[in-house]
């Protein structure tokens, strides 16, 4: 699955673009595919990247790889990271390692549902047993294979000093508020804090402050890109589903949907605020020199990711990772073909239509004013 086309290095005509990378365990391999296609294309240069959980890992590997070897170095670094993640037990949770069944007649390409561990009776029993204990009881020595992998594939100094600014979000256990790590605050522990699911890993403590997964408060946080870079265009790489058809009925389905809603809530709130500021700027109600007129874009494939349930985010089967990688590359290539030419000119993401349920009436800016 090695890249077959020769990457093109960015030139002076490349357009600046910020990246916002969602978290989602092994589904971060979709984002790997998106980044690979963007780096190969070379028409965009990345100014800043904000990431949470798996998105933070992708951001850190991207930035450190780019600092050391440019676009091709970043592509190689991302591939090496996900290859290292492949098949490692408990990399994104405490489900333990299991072999994904093959398809009919020993096929090496199982159906998508086979990657969903919630469909496996043994996995459900194992998960139910795990919920009786905390990671402090089950893992008293705080062994974490993901930390070891991140240490091997992220150069802290390159990440901090490279040309791509990195913003990593974690959630303060004490206040429930997001903490964004950047510049000198960036570290391996900050990345681990951003990916710390409290039922799967011991709480990460940095400077005396305990942290959990950044998805609880920013998945990903957009405001660091507003204040921390000069670029007005932001590309959101979305891997968490916005909508869920039907009514969740099993305990696993209910938990999965609660997590999806929780991990999308902060992003929707930020997008609602950005949409409001955009309307104010369009109507000339605020001073444009004091507010950033952000142009938003999105790469996603909700239909392609739909067969892969939330429990597949714990599965590190290489076949799953490469399938998600190819979905991400294809989605990015569609975006490059259809939308990239509008970067620097206008948004290609309609926030109201995609995220704010356009079925709900948009309220006028002035009370009592007819819409």
């Amino acid at each position: 699955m090695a890249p077959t086309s020769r990457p093109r290095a960015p030139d002076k005509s490349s357009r600046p673009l910020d990246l916002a990378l969602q978290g989602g365990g092994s589904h971060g391999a979709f984002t790997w595919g998106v980044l690979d296609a963007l780096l190969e294309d070379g028409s965009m240069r990345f100014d800043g990247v904000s990431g949470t959980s798996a998105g933070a890992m992708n951001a850190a590997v991207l930035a450190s790889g780019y600092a050391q070897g440019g676009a091709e170095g970043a592509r190689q670094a991302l591939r090496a990271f996900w290859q290292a993640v492949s098949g490692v037990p408990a990399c994104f949770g405490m489900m333990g390692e299991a072999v994904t069944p093959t398809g009919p007649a020993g096929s090496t390409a199982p159906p998508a549902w086979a990657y969903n561990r919630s469909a496996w009776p043994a996995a459900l029993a194992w998960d139910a047993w795990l919920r009786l204990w905390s990671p402090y009881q089950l893992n008293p020595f705080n062994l974490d294979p993901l930390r070891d992998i991140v240490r091997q594939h992220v150069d802290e100094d390159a990440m901090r000093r490279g040309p791509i600014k990195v913003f990593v979000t974690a959630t303060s256990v004490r206040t429930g508020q997001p903490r964004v790590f950047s510049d000198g605050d960036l570290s391996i522990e900050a990345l681990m804090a951003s990916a710390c699911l409290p039922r799967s890993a011991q709480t990460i403590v940095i400077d005396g402050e305990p942290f959990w997964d950044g998805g609880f408060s920013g998945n990903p946080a957009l405001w660091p890109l507003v204040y921390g870079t000069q670029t007005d265009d932001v590309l959101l790489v979305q891997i968490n589903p916005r909508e869920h058809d039907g009514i969740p009925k099993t305990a696993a389905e209910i938990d999965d949907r609660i997590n999806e809603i929780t991990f999308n809530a902060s992003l929707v709130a930020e997008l609602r605020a950005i949409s409001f500021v955009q309307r104010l700027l369009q109507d000339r109600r605020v001073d444009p020199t004091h507010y950033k007129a952000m142009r938003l874009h999105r790469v996603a494939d909700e239909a392609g990711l739909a067969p892969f349930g939330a429990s597949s985010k714990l599965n590190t089967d290489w076949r799953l990772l490469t399938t998600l990688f190819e979905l991400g590359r294809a989605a990015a290539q569609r975006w490059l073909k259809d939308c990239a030419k509008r970067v620097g000119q206008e948004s290609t993401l309609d926030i109201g239509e995609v995220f704010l349920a356009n079925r709900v009436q948009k309220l006028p800016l002035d009370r009592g004013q007819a819409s």
Side-chain angles (χ1 to χ4, degrees):
M1 205 189 67
T4 57
S5 55
R6 187 175 181 179
R8 188 176 69 221
D11 54 31
K12 294 181 180 179
S13 64
S14 61
R15 285 159 288 175
L17 183 70
D18 283 343
L19 299 172
L21 310 181
Q22 282 195 321
S26 65
H27 287 200
F30 176 91
T31 302
W32 163 35
V34 172
L35 296 174
D36 188 77
L38 294 175
L39 289 163
E40 179 185 60
D41 177 75
S43 63
M44 306 289 165
R45 67 177 185 274
F46 306 138
D47 186 3
V49 52
S50 177
T52 293
S53 194
M57 306 299 173
N58 275 321
V61 175
L62 165 72
S64 59
Y66 195 96
Q68 296 172 325
E72 185 59 27
R75 294 180 73 199
Q76 293 175 2
L78 286 163
R79 175 172 291 275
F81 171 77
W82 285 100
Q83 285 177 329
V85 165
S86 170
V88 176
C91 207
F92 294 118
M94 294 181 64
M95 289 289 288
E97 182 59 11
V99 177
T100 303
T102 60
S107 167
T108 58
W113 62 262
Y115 296 112
N116 300 331
R117 295 188 172 186
S118 60
W120 306 354
L124 288 176
W126 175 248
D127 186 49
W129 182 82
L130 286 176
R131 289 177 181 274
L132 300 175
W133 314 94
S134 83
Y136 291 89
Q137 297 168 305
L138 289 174
N139 187 14
F141 296 107
N142 198 21
L143 302 177
D144 192 339
L146 181 59
R147 177 184 276 106
D148 296 334
I149 292 172
V150 173
R151 283 174 176 163
Q152 294 171 7
H153 293 271
V154 174
D155 184 314
E156 285 186 338
D157 187 63
M159 174 177 60
R160 293 168 180 162
R161 301 178 183 276
I164 301 175
K165 301 173 185 176
V166 177
F167 305 93
V168 170
T169 302
T171 302
S172 167
V173 178
R174 181 177 58 85
T175 67
Q177 297 301 306
R179 160 77 185 274
V180 175
F181 296 87
S182 62
D183 299 323
D185 291 336
L186 286 170
S187 65
I188 300 299
E189 287 306 293
L191 296 173
M192 300 311 301
S194 183
C196 180
L197 292 170
R199 285 194 173 275
S200 298
Q202 293 188 20
T203 300
I204 303 296
V205 179
I206 299 175
D207 297 331
E209 186 78 9
F211 292 99
W212 283 345
D213 195 292
F216 296 117
S217 58
N219 191 26
L222 299 179
W223 58 266
L225 301 174
V226 176
Y227 299 104
T229 77
Q230 298 298 315
T231 301
D232 293 335
D233 289 85
V234 176
L235 176 64
L236 169 66
V237 181
Q238 178 199 331
I239 58 178
N240 282 336
R242 297 168 301 145
E243 298 182 356
H244 182 96
D245 294 331
I247 300 175
K249 295 182 178 179
T250 68
E253 290 173 345
I254 292 170
D255 285 346
D256 287 350
R257 188 54 184 156
I258 289 173
N259 287 334
E260 289 170 353
I261 293 172
T262 301
F263 275 51
N264 275 338
S266 56
L267 173 63
V268 172
E270 281 199 84
L271 289 170
R272 191 181 298 276
I274 290 172
S275 179
F276 181 69
V277 171
Q278 287 177 335
R279 291 178 62 195
L280 292 174
L281 288 168
Q282 289 170 2
D283 294 344
R284 299 183 180 181
R285 293 172 178 262
V286 295
D287 186 346
T289 63
H290 293 166
Y291 294 88
K292 194 172 186 178
M294 296 180 68
R295 294 181 291 267
L296 298 180
H297 314 273
R298 179 179 74 125
V299 171
D301 185 0
E302 294 192 72
L305 290 173
F308 305 97
S311 63
S312 69
K313 295 177 180 180
L314 306 178
N315 193 328
T316 57
D317 188 304
W318 180 241
R319 294 166 298 176
L320 170 63
L321 299 181
T322 53
T323 297
L324 295 170
F325 168 83
E326 294 297 347
L327 285 174
R329 270 188 62 87
Q333 288 167 346
R334 289 192 296 271
W335 181 82
L336 286 165
K337 178 183 177 182
D338 299 334
C339 303
K341 58 182 174 292
R342 294 158 65 184
V343 170
Q345 301 176 16
E346 60 182 350
S347 294
T348 59
L349 169 64
D350 185 325
I351 298 175
E353 179 179 353
V354 176
F355 285 99
L356 304 186
N358 61 342
R359 296 181 298 273
V360 179
Q361 180 183 5
K362 291 183 179 178
L363 298 176
L365 295 177
D366 292 331
R367 293 183 179 179
Q369 176 184 344
S371 57

